[in-house]
Amino acid sequence: MRKYFGTDGVRGRVGEFPMTPIFAMKLGWAAGKVLGAEGVKEVLIGKDTRASGYMLESALEAGFSAAGVNVALVGPLPTPGVAYLTSTFRADAGVVISASHNPFDDNGIKIFAQGGQKLTDDQEHEIECWLQVAIDGGMSCVSSAKLGKARRIDDAAGRYTEYCKANLPGHLSLNGLKIVVDSANGAAYKVAPAVYSELGAELISIHDTPNGININESCGATNLQSLCETVLAHQADLGIALDGDADRLMMVDHTGTVVDGDELLFLLAKDAKALGYSGGVVGTQMSNLGLEQALAGLEMPFLRAKVGDRYVMEQLKATGWRLGGEGSGHLLSLDHASTGDAIIASLRVLSCLLQQGTRLFDAKQGMHKLPQTLINVRYTAQADIDPLETDQVQAAVALVETALGQDGRVLLRKSGTEPLIRVMVEAVDAHQAQHCAEQIAKALVN
């Protein structure tokens, strides 16, 4: 069992253990010890726009240097951009300082291998072993001659912008499309507007002025109200929302209706099928039943992985399939990007729409979602009590499952990044889904 790494790296409230500069330095050292022994000579470090990113960047740089690993700093850049540039600049591994969709006073540290591949569980476990050595006072330093060196890469954003643009086929253009882009005041605040405007779109850019504390604040892929309103106010063709580190994509059609990750994954799968793709699709336990049903209509196999894009990726590797994702907007199209990339995923959707001569509103009609209610219940961890195993929670779940029968689903899971229990209920009727989810949520807090 990993102690510090969750489903998406190490994450927490800034200034509280483990998200402190001392911990970050020791994590950098521990990662340097493990990865250095595997032949890693240079690590590329990027971050989102949180004010705490500067502090954690310096601490990680010190830790890696003490372990004898060189560091290349790229500044604010989307997580998939760091993954891409890790290969472009021939770095051996990458690090992103970001808490993704979380509020600004959280932050996180994600470490991945070249090409954006997640570290294996075994690698993370070994890093945690060395990390404990450092925490216990055993952190050492290589000799002065072997210290890692640091360099700053100034043209990183421009290189990644060009890479993204290349994912729209050369015979296509966004000319004639009016697009609203919400960058969540996050890592893509420069790159995203540049990509769509340089490809010809009439662009309305919102939430693109980060100040260190407004990342994800009432904006981005986790709060779509302002995007919906702007699409309607400007009579735009569609809206695109990214999260703080731009690995999640949500879209809005011209009617102001949200098109989520499950629906976008269906559009990508349908297009891939038409182009001869013979593989299947990997979703998660949270994927809407409507996606599974729509893919069955296309005669495409579908598998559910555990929640988290790392587990979707594991299933893709195991099956050899190329498409997967989550309703939250993590989309994996391995023929076009090695990791979840919101900008590239949006360009793949736009390519589908342009080549079919259709609108997002019409294209999504092939999938009919079941009403799904998700309630997040915050809890205080107690070593001897699992809130999911209490008698009242078990009884509430049994009661709801009996009421739903074969026409719905219940899923309870702990978040891998926050002290939350996510209660999900699907039902044919939205009111029933809401009522059932509230029953279970109430049992969790009693």
Side-chain angles (χ1 to χ4, degrees):
M1 293 294 293
R2 293 163 299 171
K3 183 176 181 181
Y4 301 109
F5 284 96
T7 57
D8 203 18
V10 181
R11 192 175 296 188
R13 183 66 57 90
V14 175
E16 299 177 7
F17 187 85
M19 206 44 56
T20 65
I22 293 175
F23 179 89
M25 179 180 66
K26 293 177 178 179
L27 176 60
W29 176 81
K33 291 285 288 184
V34 173
L35 299 177
E38 296 178 0
V40 169
K41 296 180 176 62
E42 183 173 67
V43 173
L44 189 145
I45 300 179
K47 60 186 177 181
D48 64 23
T49 56
R50 296 165 212 266
S52 58
Y54 294 93
M55 173 184 74
L56 297 173
E57 178 186 62
S58 296
L60 283 166
E61 179 186 341
F64 278 113
S65 177
V69 175
N70 296 329
V71 172
L73 305 171
V74 299
L77 199 70
T79 290
V82 176
Y84 164 69
L85 291 175
T86 297
S87 295
T88 298
F89 285 101
R90 300 187 182 277
D92 303 292
V95 177
V96 174
I97 304 166
S98 175
S100 189
H101 59 283
N102 285 24
F104 85 95
D105 47 3
D106 286 351
N107 216 330
I109 299 169
K110 294 182 278 191
I111 306 171
F112 47 83
Q114 191 176 65
Q117 302 298 316
K118 302 279 186 177
L119 296 184
T120 66
D121 289 347
D122 287 343
Q123 285 176 310
E124 289 185 349
H125 177 72
E126 189 176 358
I127 289 172
E128 288 199 351
C129 290
W130 281 106
L131 180 56
Q132 196 60 51
V133 170
I135 290 172
D136 292 339
M139 179 175 166
S140 59
C141 181
V142 299
S143 68
S144 295
K146 295 181 179 180
L147 286 172
K149 299 177 177 62
R151 63 185 176 120
R152 187 165 294 278
I153 298 172
D154 295 323
D155 61 344
R159 290 198 183 204
Y160 177 58
T161 298
E162 293 304 313
Y163 168 69
C164 289
K165 286 165 56 181
N167 279 272
L168 188 73
H171 66 283
L172 298 177
S173 166
L174 303 185
N175 287 333
L177 286 180
K178 183 186 289 188
I179 298 175
V180 182
V181 175
D182 179 351
S183 300
N185 291 315
Y189 77 101
K190 285 185 177 180
V191 172
V195 168
Y196 303 111
S197 61
E198 289 176 19
L199 287 171
E202 179 183 346
L203 188 72
I204 298 102
S205 181
I206 62 175
H207 304 301
D208 58 358
T209 54
N211 60 15
I213 63 174
N214 62 357
I215 186 171
N216 298 316
E217 183 180 2
S218 300
C219 62
T222 55
N223 192 318
L224 295 155
Q225 181 177 347
S226 64
L227 179 62
C228 294
E229 292 171 351
T230 306
V231 166
L232 292 174
H234 289 268
Q235 297 183 321
D237 294 291
L238 55 86
I240 295 170
L242 316 176
D243 69 338
D245 68 336
D247 64 353
R248 287 190 185 195
L249 168 70
M250 300 287 270
M251 297 182 75
V252 171
D253 66 25
H254 75 283
T255 71
T257 302
V258 173
V259 184
D260 69 11
D262 285 340
E263 293 168 300
L264 296 173
L265 182 55
F266 167 71
L267 295 183
L268 294 175
K270 183 179 179 181
D271 183 65
K273 178 79 172 182
L275 294 174
Y277 174 66
S278 59
V281 175
V282 176
T284 73
Q285 296 169 330
M286 293 291 289
S287 297
N288 194 280
L289 185 58
L291 172 62
E292 186 172 353
Q293 294 169 340
L295 291 173
L298 295 175
E299 298 183 341
M300 295 186 75
F302 179 72
L303 289 177
R304 292 182 184 271
K306 291 190 294 184
V307 174
D309 60 329
R310 69 178 295 135
Y311 301 112
V312 175
M313 181 68 82
E314 284 179 2
Q315 288 294 325
L316 289 175
K317 287 181 178 179
T319 58
W321 296 348
R322 312 297 291 169
L323 284 172
E326 302 182 272
S328 61
H330 284 126
L331 298 172
L332 291 163
S333 180
L334 299 185
D335 287 331
H336 304 99
S338 63
T339 186
D341 190 316
I343 295 175
I344 288 177
S346 72
L347 292 175
R348 300 312 308 165
V349 173
L350 289 169
S351 174
C352 296
L353 300 179
L354 290 169
Q355 296 192 87
Q356 294 169 14
T358 189
R359 299 177 301 178
L360 183 58
F361 173 84
D362 299 307
K364 70 178 184 180
Q365 298 305 315
M367 174 186 159
H368 300 287
K369 292 168 54 182
L370 268 70
Q372 187 181 83
T373 295
L374 177 64
I375 298 177
N376 292 322
V377 180
R378 190 166 291 274
Y379 70 97
T380 301
Q382 300 180 47
D384 58 337
I385 298 176
D386 185 342
L388 300 182
E389 299 296 332
T390 62
D391 291 342
Q392 65 265 28
V393 171
Q394 292 289 306
V397 171
L399 187 64
V400 165
E401 288 182 334
T402 298
L404 293 175
Q406 299 298 313
D407 297 321
R409 292 194 306 136
V410 175
L411 178 67
L412 273 66
R413 70 175 187 91
K414 293 179 181 177
S415 168
T417 58
E418 302 173 82
L420 298 174
I421 293 174
R422 307 195 191 281
V423 180
M424 189 281 288
V425 177
E426 277 182 347
V428 174
D429 177 77
H431 295 293
Q432 184 184 26
Q434 181 70 32
H435 175 69
C436 291
E438 289 174 352
Q439 280 184 279
I440 298 172
K442 184 178 179 180
L444 280 163
V445 298
N446 288 338

